[in-house]
Amino acid sequence: MGSKSKTGLIATSFAVLAFVFVLIAFVTPCWLETDGQLEKPKFIRIGLWQVCFKDFEDTRHYYDTKFYQCWWVFEEEYYIIHDILLPGFFVATQFFFTLCFTLLLISTFLVALYICCHKDHSRYVLLLLVIGSCLIIAALSGTIAVIVFGANGDSRVWMPNWEHNDISWSYALAVLGTLFLYISGVLYLVEGRVINMKRKMADQAEGGYHMETRKTSQTTI
């Protein structure tokens, strides 16, 4: 990475941080948690893919089944409360943050190519622009996810004892990761634009030099 510019190194650093934060937020079950002030909370915590209950039952009392442990949100046993557990806003959060994570995985592969690629390569600028664009799109998807969840996650119409439920650290990491995606994406686009301008200036200078050399040769003849 010695041949990389300072802007490129900073962009790569933010991309790595974004990957770590988004990955942790994606797999951890702490987007929403109880504050621990209730003696017997029915809801413990939930992430994008796992939820933890303790003596939770169907709020409509259609079934007598109670849930006591941490399970995958799509667990077969949860079918009787799917409409409660997976409302539209939460499914939207899962979709857009999964899209964000998928685009970030693609970007990570491209960043690895960028690290190995020499700046004189013919497609170096294109690689930078693709990485920057992919990161920005990932950031937009992540933004939609965190805004939707932030607006609805601790509402009184979702999990029980809503007044004791707080947005938790996994969500905070998702927000930070999304912010770092914007920074990294913009820096890669700036780097691509700068290098492209330098190449055009170098080509113009080279073309001017050849023209001057040709004129000198003709004058000598």
Side-chain angles (χ1 to χ4, degrees):
M1 295 181 62
S3 62
K4 300 297 184 291
S5 68
K6 185 176 180 180
T7 302
L9 294 176
I10 295 174
T12 301
S13 299
F14 274 107
V16 172
L17 287 174
F19 178 79
V20 172
F21 284 14
V22 170
L23 174 62
I24 294 174
F26 188 74
V27 300
T28 52
C30 296
W31 282 57
L32 184 71
E33 282 189 292
T34 182
D35 59 11
Q37 295 182 10
L38 281 177
E39 184 178 350
K40 294 182 179 180
K42 295 183 178 181
F43 163 75
I44 306 300
R45 70 181 66 91
I46 190 172
L48 294 181
W49 314 111
Q50 187 184 66
V51 61
C52 299
F53 290 127
K54 187 176 181 181
D55 197 28
F56 179 83
E57 59 185 336
D58 181 7
T59 55
R60 300 156 303 187
H61 304 289
Y62 292 164
Y63 304 91
D64 293 330
T65 304
K66 293 185 178 182
F67 304 97
Y68 292 91
Q69 54 189 330
C70 298
W71 280 344
W72 189 42
V73 294
F74 298 112
E75 189 70 32
E76 184 178 354
E77 283 77 2
Y78 284 149
Y79 79 95
I80 61 176
I81 58 169
H82 265 183
D83 54 340
I84 299 174
L85 180 60
L86 301 173
F89 84 87
F90 188 64
V91 174
T93 301
Q94 290 176 317
F95 172 79
F96 283 106
F97 205 73
T98 300
L99 179 59
C100 171
F101 182 64
T102 302
L103 290 170
L104 182 53
L105 286 177
I106 296 173
S107 301
T108 301
F109 172 73
L110 295 176
V111 168
L113 288 180
Y114 161 74
I115 293 174
C116 299
C117 185
H118 194 274
K119 63 180 180 180
D120 292 332
H121 194 280
S122 59
R123 297 186 178 180
Y124 188 75
V125 173
L126 177 62
L127 178 61
L128 288 170
L129 297 178
V130 171
I131 294 174
S133 300
C134 197
L135 289 171
I136 292 296
I137 297 173
L140 291 172
S141 298
T143 299
I144 295 173
V146 296
I147 288 177
V148 170
F149 189 86
N152 299 278
D154 61 347
S155 65
R156 66 180 65 196
V157 297
W158 192 29
M159 290 299 164
N161 305 120
W162 63 271
E163 66 276 11
H164 291 282
N165 297 334
D166 297 323
I167 299 294
S168 194
W169 59 270
S170 294
Y171 176 83
L173 291 182
V175 173
L176 287 175
T178 299
L179 176 62
F180 291 158
L181 284 173
Y182 278 114
I183 297 173
S184 180
V186 169
L187 288 176
Y188 274 118
L189 291 176
V190 169
E191 177 73 354
R193 181 175 176 80
V194 168
I195 293 179
N196 189 44
M197 291 178 63
K198 287 182 177 179
R199 285 186 176 183
K200 288 183 178 180
M201 292 175 63
D203 290 342
Q204 291 176 356
E206 184 178 357
Y209 172 78
H210 287 315
M211 290 182 62
E212 188 66 28
T213 302
R214 189 179 305 144
K215 288 181 180 179
T216 302
S217 300
Q218 291 177 352
T219 302
T220 303
I221 295 173

